[in-house]
Amino acid sequence: MNDKELLDLYLTGDIKAFEEFYQRHKKALYTYIYNRHPDQADDIFQETFYSFIDAISQRDIDFPLGYLYKTALNKIRSSFKQKKGKLLEFNEEFT
């Protein structure tokens, strides 16, 4: 069964279908996130799946794996922006 079919089943209430999707992709996705932002990998990984679940429940996604990785990338970028903003605030206090 492909990813789209699994997620379609999940949306009808089949939790096991999402578990299979998760098990299929968790290791590679975590590695992808960790290689880009090791400090926040656990949080970003979790936030990625929360956002992904929310997205698939609101709209039809033709390429779920691509959407999942794009979500992860956006979470990574957002984390760096927040971190950069905090550093700027910290530096401004001392100037």
Side-chain angles (χ1 to χ4, degrees):
M1 191 171 300
N2 69 36
D3 291 340
K4 177 94 170 91
E5 292 168 335
L6 285 173
L7 294 175
D8 287 343
L9 280 174
Y10 166 69
L11 292 173
T12 65
D14 186 345
I15 300 298
K16 295 245 183 242
F18 187 81
E19 288 175 8
E20 184 175 335
F21 176 85
Y22 177 82
Q23 291 300 324
R24 188 180 288 181
H25 299 295
K26 70 178 183 178
K27 185 175 180 181
L29 180 67
Y30 186 84
T31 301
Y32 175 82
I33 295 168
Y34 185 85
N35 286 339
R36 284 152 185 81
H37 201 337
D39 301 3
Q40 296 293 316
D42 291 343
D43 291 338
I44 293 170
F45 179 79
Q46 192 171 44
E47 290 171 17
T48 296
F49 269 103
Y50 285 141
S51 293
F52 182 74
I53 290 169
D54 187 46
I56 64 171
S57 66
Q58 294 181 23
R59 64 183 80 78
D60 186 39
I61 298 172
D62 292 327
F63 303 102
L65 189 58
Y67 193 91
L68 180 66
Y69 275 81
K70 186 66 171 180
T71 301
L73 183 58
N74 288 339
K75 296 289 181 190
I76 292 164
R77 288 177 177 160
S78 178
S79 180
F80 278 123
K81 286 178 187 176
Q82 289 174 356
K83 191 174 183 180
K84 183 178 178 183
K86 288 178 184 177
L87 286 174
L88 289 174
E89 288 174 12
F90 179 77
N91 287 336
E92 289 173 358
E93 290 179 13
F94 292 102
T95 58

